[in-house]
Amino acid sequence: MTARSALVVVAALAVVGLAACAPEEDSAGTAPQPSSADACSKDKLALKTAGTFSAGTDKPAYEPWFSGNDPANGKGYESAVTYAVAKKLGFEPAEVKWQTVQFNAAFAPGPKKFDLDVNQVSISADRAKAVDFSTGYYDVRQTVITTVGSKIAAVTSVAGLADAKLGAQVGTTSYTSLRDVIKPKQQPAVFDSNDLAVQALKNKQIDGIVVDLPTGFYMTAAQLDDGKIVGQLPATDKPEQFGFVFEKGSKLTPCVSQAVDALRADGTLAALQKQWLTSEGAPELS
């Protein structure tokens, strides 16, 4: 186990398989737009409590999405993005209040106590029947993991993986990326589950596994004693995305989506990903 975070061991068990590591899902469609130019001014926002921007996430809140199990410190990618959105809407950091919301409860049908929830929840048409989603604040990237000292541990490019024996779970976007992006010379190994792929890596039957980045952080921290993220593969045209979650029909949704879109357009999201994901052990492969 790496020193990245003991939190990962506990919390990721509840998340992996429910968020980005799932098979590819249908799009939830286009987010609604604000009804007027000033509809997203701070005094017009449909908040649960006037003057307070309430955000929910699970506990523990684990790295690299949060830091130190403290969503309120602004550290970690999802905490930083939440505060960036709040700032766009006119809130000071002290006006952002966090509450604990279990992962599955975030997108379950029914009224919510939070204004928005942030917890690596993948946007999907099925979940959008019960809740609203903002536009995506994170495009899920596929990632290659291995063990320290393996033949691909020091690889820095996609081309450098061509001779490796790689594996992925059958029927996933990870396998598609392995096949279409890496284009390995050897036939990829296909597994019924990621757990079987991890065991094959431990047994040195394969050199590495292709999984999405959240799953990669979990596997290298919790399932492999000497796990290592080789790097993130290039982004695809239709990536799976994480979105902020809202109560169904929330009037806040279009305003947050507008803020997310602005942060993507001005490069803030990319900068925060570089700061909190790439530099935290997930380099991008050239």
Side-chain angles (χ1 to χ4, degrees):
M1 181 182 300
T2 71
R4 180 174 296 119
S5 174
L7 298 175
V8 174
V9 178
V10 178
L13 291 171
V15 176
V16 171
L18 295 175
C21 58
E24 192 171 21
E25 297 176 322
D26 295 335
S27 169
T30 303
Q33 298 299 310
S35 57
S36 63
D38 67 345
C40 296
S41 59
K42 184 179 178 181
D43 60 332
K44 298 286 183 61
L45 295 176
L47 303 168
K48 295 293 182 181
T49 301
T52 296
F53 191 67
S54 60
T57 196
D58 206 351
K59 188 176 184 178
Y62 62 89
E63 301 181 31
W65 313 101
F66 297 92
S67 179
N69 192 25
D70 180 12
N73 62 18
K75 299 179 180 179
Y77 180 68
E78 289 190 325
S79 178
V81 171
T82 301
Y83 280 101
V85 167
K87 184 178 180 180
K88 280 286 185 185
L89 296 174
F91 293 90
E92 298 295 329
E95 295 175 306
V96 179
K97 304 297 183 183
W98 290 87
Q99 54 184 268
T100 300
V101 179
Q102 292 184 343
F103 180 78
N104 287 339
F107 50 85
K112 309 297 182 186
K113 294 181 180 179
F114 54 76
D115 291 315
L116 60 74
D117 184 90
V118 54
N119 193 19
Q120 306 104 62
V121 180
S122 297
I123 301 171
S124 76
D126 186 52
R127 289 172 177 164
K129 295 175 184 175
V131 294
D132 286 348
F133 283 101
S134 71
T135 49
Y137 61 82
Y138 173 68
D139 296 349
V140 177
R141 298 277 292 274
Q142 296 299 318
T143 305
V144 180
I145 69 166
T146 188
T147 52
V148 174
S150 81
K151 62 183 287 185
I152 63 170
V155 167
T156 59
S157 67
V158 175
L161 297 167
D163 292 325
K165 180 67 174 179
L166 302 173
Q169 184 175 342
V170 65
T172 63
T173 50
S174 300
Y175 177 77
T176 302
S177 293
L178 194 172
R179 182 193 61 199
D180 297 345
V181 178
I182 299 176
K183 300 178 180 177
K185 296 177 182 177
Q186 300 188 58
Q187 182 69 27
V190 180
F191 301 94
D192 289 336
S193 71
N194 280 331
D195 287 342
L196 292 174
V198 167
Q199 192 58 52
L201 181 60
K202 288 180 177 178
N203 294 341
K204 301 188 184 304
Q205 295 169 299
I206 56 175
D207 299 313
I209 306 171
V210 180
V211 289
D212 59 58
L213 183 58
T215 307
F217 274 120
Y218 165 67
M219 286 180 167
T220 54
Q223 292 188 299
L224 295 165
D225 291 336
D226 51 357
K228 175 182 174 59
I229 294 177
V230 179
Q232 301 180 64
L233 296 176
T236 61
D237 292 337
K238 296 181 179 179
E240 187 176 354
Q241 293 184 311
F242 292 165
F244 290 106
V245 180
F246 304 84
E247 183 177 295
K248 191 67 178 176
S250 171
K251 295 181 180 179
L252 190 59
T253 307
C255 294
V256 170
S257 289
Q258 182 173 269
V260 170
D261 292 345
L263 293 171
R264 183 182 290 274
D266 68 14
T268 298
L269 295 185
L272 292 177
Q273 287 169 29
K274 183 176 182 180
Q275 178 180 0
W276 295 110
L277 301 179
T278 304
S279 64
E280 290 297 311
E284 298 193 22
L285 297 172
S286 60

